[in-house]
Amino acid sequence: MIAHTAQLDAATLDAAAALLRGAFLQFDDEDWAHALGGMHALVHEGGRLVAHGSVVQRRFLHGGRAWRTGYVEAVGVAADVRRRGHGTAVMAALETVIRGAYELGALSATPDGWPLYRSLGWQSWRGPVSALTPAGRVRTPDEDGAVFVLPVTARLDPAGELTCDWRDGPLW
Ligand SMILES: CC(C)(COP(=O)(O)OP(=O)(O)OC[C@H]1O[C@@H](n2cnc3c(N)ncnc32)[C@H](O)[C@@H]1OP(=O)(O)O)[C@@H](O)C(=O)NCCC(=O)NCCS
C-alpha cells in the first residue's frame, strides 16, 4: 500500500512509528518527523504492519544546480520477518514515486541497509557530502560513504560534491 501522510489515519502512523522504533537501534521523534510529508510505502501481514518506508521532497545542490530530490527515510522491517522481500517491496514502491516525480533519489544508510540498497542498484556517493546550513555550506564528513543515490534525470558527477538542504535534527 502506498499513501501520502495526509491519507493515513493516526492509528496507522502510530503503528509505523512503533515499528521503526523497534526496527532501529535508535529512532527518535526527529527521525519520525523527517519521514512525514511525503509518500509512505506500507506492508501488512495478517493485519499487522511489518514494513515501512517513505520518500519526502528535498532540494540537493550539485554541479551548480538545485535538484528536486526524492529522499528516502525510515525504511524498516519487523525483525521476525526480515529477508523475505519486504524491504525490497517497500523500495520498489518508493522508486516508482522517485522515478515519476523527482530528478534524483537519495538516502543515507546505516551499514545494516547497505546490502539492500546495493542489491537494488543504488549507487554509493563517492564524492564529498555537505549541507547548506544557515551559516553556509558545511561539510558532513561522517556521512561520506553512507549516502546512496538513484539517478533519474539529474546530471551527476559521482566524484563531485553533493549538498543537502537544511532541516532540524540529523541533516542526512
Ligand atoms: C535493512 C532492512 C530494511 C532489510 O529488509 P528485508 O525485508 O530483510 O530486505 P529483503 O528481504 O528485501 O532483502 C533484499 C536483499 O537485500 C540484501 N540484504 C538485506 N538484508 C541483509 C543482511 N542483513 N545481510 C546481507 N544482505 C542483506 C540481500 O541481498 C537480500 O536479498 P536475499 O534475501 O535474497 O539475499 C531490514 O533488515 C531492517 O529493517 N533493518 C533495521 C533497520 C535498518 O537498518 N533500515 C535501513 C536503514 S538505512
Side-chain angles (χ1 to χ4, degrees), residues 9-93:
D9 61 25
T12 305
L13 291 171
D14 286 350
L19 168 74
L20 294 160
R21 278 191 286 271
F24 283 87
L25 287 177
Q26 197 193 330
F27 191 90
D28 61 23
D29 291 350
E30 252 168 0
D31 296 316
W32 177 235
H34 289 167
L36 300 176
M39 297 296 289
H40 302 252
L42 305 161
V43 179
H44 289 86
E45 245 185 29
R48 170 191 170 214
L49 181 65
V50 294
H52 171 275
S54 62
V55 58
V56 298
Q57 179 171 312
R58 302 184 70 183
R59 297 275 176 184
F60 279 19
L61 299 181
H62 174 72
R65 270 206 48 186
W67 301 97
R68 187 174 68 254
T69 301
Y71 195 72
V72 172
E73 288 282 4
V75 174
V77 175
D80 58 322
V81 293
R82 288 181 188 163
R83 302 305 288 273
R84 287 171 38 187
H86 292 320
T88 300
V90 162
M91 288 302 297

Side-chain angles (χ1 to χ4, degrees), residues 104-131:
L104 166 71
L107 59 84
S108 167
T110 59
D112 278 353
W114 293 356
L116 171 68
Y117 303 124
R118 287 202 182 109
S119 78
L120 297 171
W122 284 65
Q123 299 163 18
S124 178
W125 189 262
R126 290 189 276 110
V129 296
S130 54

